[in-house]
Amino acid sequence: MMQQIVHQLRSKGDVSFEEISVVVPWLEMAQDVSIDLEGEQTYSPRAFKTHFDWPNVPKSFDENGNLVGKYIYIARNPVSIVVSIYYFLLDWFYTSEEFHFCDLVELMLYKRSVPVWNHYAEWFEAAKKYKDNILWVFFEDMVGKREECVRKV
């Protein structure tokens, strides 16, 4: 949803794309779908989607040590994350016999490379440190208070 919001704001409403990741590339998937992350984007500013944790998200700093670029972090209720991922993967990569919901809950909350709690904490601390560069948004606000959310972006 945020990919759409960002793209619509920067393009003044252009919808001439087949899939949003073509115009706002997803860093983790770009190579798999042959999108050149260094390539030009049709609109400015350049925009990307990622699920990286703060230490691993691409970033750069100017000569004074100031963070360059803007980031929008979407925090979501962990239960909603697990349900969303489950249905995203189900019948695309796995069947319900191969992929059990309870296993995903355990993976997401405790066993993934960066547990969801750490992910939130790292981005939250970064957002406090780089107030002018990181906008912290709750997914539930994007759904329930969309106009307010768009104005913040």
Side-chain angles (χ1 to χ4, degrees):
M1 186 180 317
M2 185 54 77
Q3 283 175 285
Q4 289 282 0
I5 292 169
V6 168
H7 181 67
Q8 295 306 306
L9 289 172
R10 73 179 180 159
S11 71
K12 297 180 177 37
D14 176 40
V15 293
S16 61
F17 53 87
E18 288 186 35
E19 210 286 321
I20 189 63
S21 291
V22 172
V23 292
V24 180
W26 186 358
L27 296 181
E28 294 91 321
M29 299 294 289
Q31 184 175 353
D32 294 337
V33 294
S34 302
I35 294 176
D36 178 9
L37 295 174
E38 300 297 325
E40 293 213 16
Q41 291 188 11
T42 306
Y43 296 97
S44 182
R46 292 166 54 85
F48 300 93
K49 171 185 176 173
T50 185
H51 290 144
F52 287 146
D53 58 332
W54 177 248
N56 291 304
V57 75
K59 54 184 127 358
S60 62
F61 298 87
D62 66 18
E63 62 279 351
N64 298 319
N66 299 312
L67 182 63
V68 176
K70 301 286 185 177
Y71 300 79
I72 302 170
Y73 184 80
I74 311 302
R76 187 174 185 181
N77 178 323
V79 173
S80 297
I81 293 171
V82 174
V83 171
S84 177
I85 291 172
Y86 180 76
Y87 285 107
F88 176 78
L89 296 174
L90 193 62
D91 293 329
W92 189 18
F93 293 107
Y94 305 100
T95 66
S96 57
E97 290 80 31
E98 300 170 308
F99 189 59
H100 300 280
F101 185 77
C102 58
D103 295 332
L104 181 62
V105 170
E106 186 175 358
L107 174 72
M108 289 299 297
L109 298 181
Y110 306 108
K111 291 186 176 178
R112 62 180 255 194
S113 60
V114 178
V116 68
W117 318 113
N118 295 33
H119 203 280
Y120 289 162
E122 292 166 354
W123 274 97
F124 186 73
E125 290 302 316
K128 288 192 315 187
K129 183 175 182 178
Y130 303 107
K131 291 179 177 139
D132 295 334
N133 298 79
I134 301 174
L135 174 63
W136 181 279
V137 177
F138 290 99
F139 178 84
E140 293 76 13
D141 289 343
M142 285 194 323
V143 173
K145 302 175 186 176
R146 186 156 310 149
E147 183 176 340
E148 180 183 322
C149 178
V150 169
R151 291 186 188 286
K152 286 180 182 179
V153 173

